[in-house]
Amino acid sequence: MRAAALRGAAGSLVLSALAVAPTGVSALPGDPGPPGTAPAASPLAVPQTGTRDETRAVTQAETRAVTAQEDAGTRAAASRAADEGIRFGACAAEEYLEAPVECGTVQVPLDYADPDGRRITLTVSRVRATGRTPDGEPAARQGALVFNPGGPGASGMYFPLVGAVPAWRNIAAAYDLVGYAARGVGRSAPLSCQEPRHFLKAPTHAPADPSPSYKKERVAEATSYARGCARRAGDALAHYTSLNNARDLDVLRAALGEPRLTFMGASYGTYIGSLYATLFPERVRRMVFDSAVDPRPERIWYRNNLDQATAFERRWEDFRTWVAKHDDVYGLGRTADAVRLSYEEVRAAVAAQPAGGKVGPGQLHSAFLRTAYYDDYWPMRAAALSAYREGEPELLIAQATPVAEAAVEAENSTAVYTAVECNDAPWPTDFRVWDDDHTALARTAPFETWDNAWANLPCAFWTAPQRQPLDIRADAGSLAPTLILAAERDAATPYQGAVELRRRLGGSRLVTERGAGQHGVGGGPNTCVNAHLDAYLLTGEVPAEDTDCAAHPEPRPLAPRAAKHR
């Protein structure tokens, strides 16, 4: 479920997978999957700290008591923020944001049960509404549109730049575009669980069928990582939660001077939005959920992540089918299975001799995992694979080698991701449960199953309290109409999540891009989806009923030789 806002090659805002776990393999946790088998005897001599149902979780009664205090604390914090406002000015050099983007800060309680206690500072960015449509017509300002790109752990500070993208110009004419870095992210009370210089080690392995000894290594690493989070964050660790992210959003709303919130969340950002809609339905003006997380409490987060592996397997096949269709360009095979064999051939080669000394199976896998998120990656990844098999590894090295300069941001993002998901809900504490569930799932979905397990495994050894997830619900009488956008073959947030959210939010409407798997569809290449997005944000209108859009065009192939010169 991890996604971060990055600039696409064509200038559009895209959601890009943060595919690096604490040990350098993919970290793309996300959504539900088939029920696990009953715990059985494990060949692993690893610590056993509980059973499938025995997790270190806060009880429902404790949750209700704390939530009442936190609700009162949110009201106090929002009132204070409304008085203080946000002083926008030039952005700090670290943000790499220049005019017309402005930056400011808002303070929120670390612990909403103690609103007068320690406060932390969140960074905020903004570009004011242009007041003019692309046709030069005047546009009335409608307030601020706040965006969260997902993660957990992604920064939305770059969001205001989308106003320059054609698909967003009508929205930018009417709204101040507001981005922010959620608590723990970037310069917003940054969270860290290990030294960044140790984070992007390479090359690494990523076995689809891990041995008992490899599993023991990963259990030890996950235990160490969880301890590192506890040691470095101290008592603050427990306060990095999705509920607090939703409460922070209400404080930000108040600081912006908005009586009601207009919000767009993508990927994990939809979960923050759905929590907000449940907690504060009367404060929602308009809300867009783009690529929705399945909000069922029993799926947050362990089973959500199992489901993601099945969806990734399907999307991985979509990429291979496209490559096979263009065998005249890539020469990787005329069927999806033949392309898979070509990929496995390269995987074995970089295991024996890492490309450029840095690209092993772990780095190869992380690079190709992005093809399941965005088909914009398909031509370049296929070109790199083809060129490598022809004895030219430079493209693959360029695309898959970890970027040392990104280590601090990547480590921070993973730390926030881990803390939020581990704190949000109970997790199995017996590794035998993880082993059984993922072994069974990997038989049909080997592409992402085990890497996803390793990314989430610190939650089995978490020391902070694990809360009970809120039951997401709002009826049409209390909540303004909301818009849900989804791609039918999305891997990171499988489609059933959008269907479930639609069922739980009264008055909502679902727009589905059929036959496509782009993660984050609003403001992207589909003009039909964008028309619904514009209509909703500019007029408040939702479709009369759930509706479909045809898939956007597939990418054009790019020959390896042409790719070398881009």
Side-chain angles (χ1 to χ4, degrees), residues 200-514:
L200 294 180
K201 69 178 184 179
T204 57
H205 296 291
D209 184 19
S211 66
S213 62
Y214 184 81
K215 292 175 183 177
K216 288 177 65 176
E217 290 176 16
R218 297 312 299 259
V219 166
E221 290 173 359
T223 304
S224 176
Y225 188 79
R227 290 172 179 167
C229 294
R231 182 177 63 255
R232 294 166 77 93
D235 292 341
L237 184 63
H239 301 294
Y240 293 91
T241 67
S242 294
L243 279 168
N244 279 344
N245 284 336
R247 295 184 176 104
D248 290 347
L249 194 56
D250 197 53
V251 177
L252 175 57
R253 171 202 60 78
L256 289 167
E258 299 290 332
R260 293 190 296 158
L261 177 69
T262 304
F263 174 78
M264 181 171 177
S267 193
Y268 166 73
T270 67
Y271 188 56
I272 298 174
S274 62
L275 287 171
Y276 188 96
T278 301
L279 292 170
F280 315 111
E282 74 285 356
R283 295 177 208 167
V284 173
R285 177 178 178 269
R286 292 172 195 163
M287 189 165 279
V288 180
F289 305 91
D290 187 351
S291 305
V293 169
D294 188 331
R296 287 176 288 177
E298 67 272 19
R299 314 304 288 190
I300 304 294
W301 289 106
Y302 178 72
R303 299 215 166 275
N304 272 357
N305 281 284
L306 289 172
D307 267 1
Q308 198 183 47
T310 299
F312 265 92
E313 197 69 29
R314 181 173 60 243
R315 191 63 179 150
W316 171 234
E317 184 174 6
D318 289 349
F319 165 67
R320 292 184 286 112
T321 298
W322 177 87
V323 174
K325 187 187 303 183
H326 299 289
D327 186 57
D328 59 327
V329 177
Y330 298 116
L332 293 169
R334 296 182 180 180
T335 65
D337 282 344
V339 174
R340 178 182 56 79
L341 292 175
S342 293
Y343 175 81
E344 294 298 339
E345 175 187 309
V346 174
R347 183 175 177 137
V350 297
Q353 184 175 348
K358 289 289 187 179
V359 178
Q363 291 64 50
L364 178 75
H365 185 74
S366 291
F368 277 82
L369 203 56
R370 291 180 179 239
T371 65
Y373 276 70
Y374 310 106
D375 48 31
D376 285 350
Y377 281 105
W378 291 4
M380 291 295 289
R381 292 296 190 264
L385 203 65
S386 179
Y388 182 91
R389 293 180 75 244
E390 295 299 322
E392 298 180 0
E394 293 81 10
L395 267 181
L396 185 63
I397 293 169
Q399 293 181 34
T401 300
V403 179
E405 292 79 7
V408 172
E409 181 180 356
E411 190 280 326
N412 167 241
S413 177
T414 296
V416 175
Y417 166 81
T418 306
V420 170
E421 293 216 354
C422 293
N423 285 334
D424 268 2
W427 290 76
T429 60
D430 186 340
F431 181 71
R432 289 175 297 185
V433 174
W434 296 68
D435 196 9
D436 290 343
D437 286 348
H438 290 84
T439 297
L441 184 57
R443 295 190 185 106
T444 56
F447 182 64
E448 197 233 3
T449 292
W450 280 109
D451 281 354
N452 209 7
W454 309 136
N456 292 293
L457 191 55
C459 296
F461 310 104
W462 205 243
T463 58
Q466 295 176 323
R467 303 186 65 159
Q468 297 291 338
L470 187 68
D471 189 23
I472 302 295
R473 293 189 186 277
D475 60 53
S478 63
L479 179 68
T482 61
L483 184 67
I484 304 169
L485 309 176
E488 186 178 26
R489 297 181 69 81
D490 186 357
T493 50
Y495 182 65
Q496 70 262 28
V499 174
E500 182 65 26
L501 184 62
R502 164 71 177 88
R503 189 178 70 82
R504 287 168 173 263
L505 297 183
S508 63
R509 291 293 182 270
L510 172 60
V511 175
T512 301
E513 184 181 17
R514 294 293 178 186

